[in-house]
Amino acid sequence: MHVGFKTDKGILRSSNEDACFVLLHDKVYILADGVGGGNSGEIASRTAVSEIANYVVNHSLNYLDDKYEIVEYMKNAFEAANSRIYDMAREHKENFGMATTAIIVYVRKGKAYIGNIGDSRVYLYREGDYLQLTEDHTYVNTLVKAGILSKEEADLDERKNVIIKALGAEPTVEPDFFQVDVKKDDILLACSDGLYDEVSDEEIIEVIREKDNMNELAAELISRANKNGGRDNITIITLQITEEEIDE
């Protein structure tokens, strides 16, 4: 696997409430985008990635046999992080209401397993095609699914970043899970909304075609987001599939 990752506070924000964690040995990649007053969003996102990473370190993935076991594993990791953030928000009144989006990506034997909650996203780039694999847990997306808003209207709606699911918001958590077959040279791109709110799919495809190195790709995408406004924190993980992930 060729891996790149980078996070940036953007142009307008004074702090960075995003976080990411890369577990190269386990082929697990984690990204979070926190919300909350003061520094609570930063605490929430960093707690999420550290709790999920700790779960992976302490519970081997090597013995999981099928997709159902992997989904259950991811669900347990999300629940561990959710409980910790939820409890912290109630123990310290200055953190009340803090929460975070979260993404987990795990690649194994030609398949990518993805868990998500909130509006951070995972995309697949393959031979010129760029596809969103995850579904946003936002108020506006529920209106799109109900046929009340078009996608074009949703992109312009001022409520588009109001999330309806997040880690730490409730005592229990209901993430979505996805599985996709991957091929050599596919690129998986996980990101916070600071990327896709600023950089169009067409521009992202253009950058992917220009950059072979995954760290350079992540850095250039963040540069484009900042050039286009940089109104939010931006975090990106880029993963290029190699033969190793197909044949293991």
Side-chain angles (χ1 to χ4, degrees):
M1 181 86 76
H2 300 308
V3 181
F5 56 95
K6 188 173 177 63
T7 186
D8 189 271
K9 69 180 181 64
I11 301 298
L12 299 185
R13 297 293 180 92
S14 59
S15 62
N16 192 347
E17 296 186 335
D18 287 1
C20 65
F21 207 109
V22 170
L23 293 149
L24 291 173
H25 176 74
D26 299 287
K27 297 184 179 177
V28 174
Y29 312 90
I30 311 158
L31 184 149
D33 177 359
V35 295
N39 65 347
S40 298
E42 185 175 343
I43 293 170
S45 64
R46 279 150 181 71
T47 301
V49 298
S50 63
E51 288 291 325
I52 293 169
N54 286 337
Y55 186 89
V56 173
V57 168
N58 293 315
H59 301 81
S60 176
L61 283 152
N62 296 333
Y63 305 103
L64 303 182
D65 292 326
D66 58 42
K67 63 182 180 181
Y68 302 106
E69 290 184 347
I70 293 171
V71 165
E72 186 65 22
Y73 181 99
M74 284 187 172
K75 187 170 184 291
N76 291 338
F78 277 122
E79 287 177 348
N82 186 73
S83 295
R84 180 68 179 137
I85 297 166
Y86 185 81
D87 290 345
M88 289 172 66
R90 277 141 191 82
E91 290 168 4
H92 307 283
K93 63 180 182 180
E94 66 272 19
N95 293 331
F96 185 79
M98 73 176 182
T100 183
T101 73
I103 290 280
I104 304 174
V105 180
Y106 172 51
V107 182
R108 174 181 178 181
K109 296 182 179 179
K111 297 185 185 299
Y113 302 90
I114 300 162
N116 91 290
I117 186 162
D119 65 349
S120 294
R121 294 178 178 176
V122 178
Y123 293 88
L124 170 67
Y125 175 84
R126 175 183 292 164
E127 299 173 349
D129 293 325
Y130 186 65
L131 175 68
Q132 181 180 337
L133 300 179
T134 53
E135 183 173 306
D136 296 345
H137 298 138
T138 61
Y139 173 68
V140 164
N141 194 46
T142 63
L143 300 181
V144 172
K145 291 169 66 177
I148 297 170
L149 289 179
S150 67
K151 176 130 184 359
E152 293 71 26
E153 290 171 329
D155 288 341
L156 299 173
D157 197 294
E158 62 183 14
R159 302 163 296 179
K160 67 180 181 179
N161 296 121
V162 176
I163 57 177
I164 57 174
K165 284 187 183 181
L167 289 184
E170 301 289 343
T172 58
V173 64
E174 295 182 3
D176 287 340
F177 300 98
F178 306 88
Q179 176 190 308
V180 61
D181 293 336
V182 290
K183 304 194 305 184
K184 184 177 180 294
D185 295 328
D186 281 354
I187 293 175
L188 294 168
L189 188 154
C191 64
S192 59
D193 60 350
L195 176 67
Y196 65 77
D197 278 349
E198 299 287 14
V199 187
S200 68
D201 289 357
E202 292 74 21
E203 190 173 359
I204 291 172
I205 291 170
E206 173 192 321
V207 176
I208 290 174
R209 286 172 171 165
E210 290 175 355
K211 300 293 183 182
D212 294 328
N213 180 282
M214 291 298 99
N215 273 317
E216 291 179 5
L217 173 58
E220 178 60 22
L221 288 172
I222 283 181
S223 176
R224 297 289 184 103
N226 281 328
K227 190 181 299 183
N228 292 349
R231 289 166 288 188
D232 199 354
N233 309 143
I234 315 131
T235 300
I236 298 169
I237 301 174
T238 50
L239 311 170
Q240 185 175 43
I241 307 300
T242 63
E243 202 69 52
E244 178 187 358
E245 286 74 47
I246 307 302
D247 295 339
E248 61 186 346

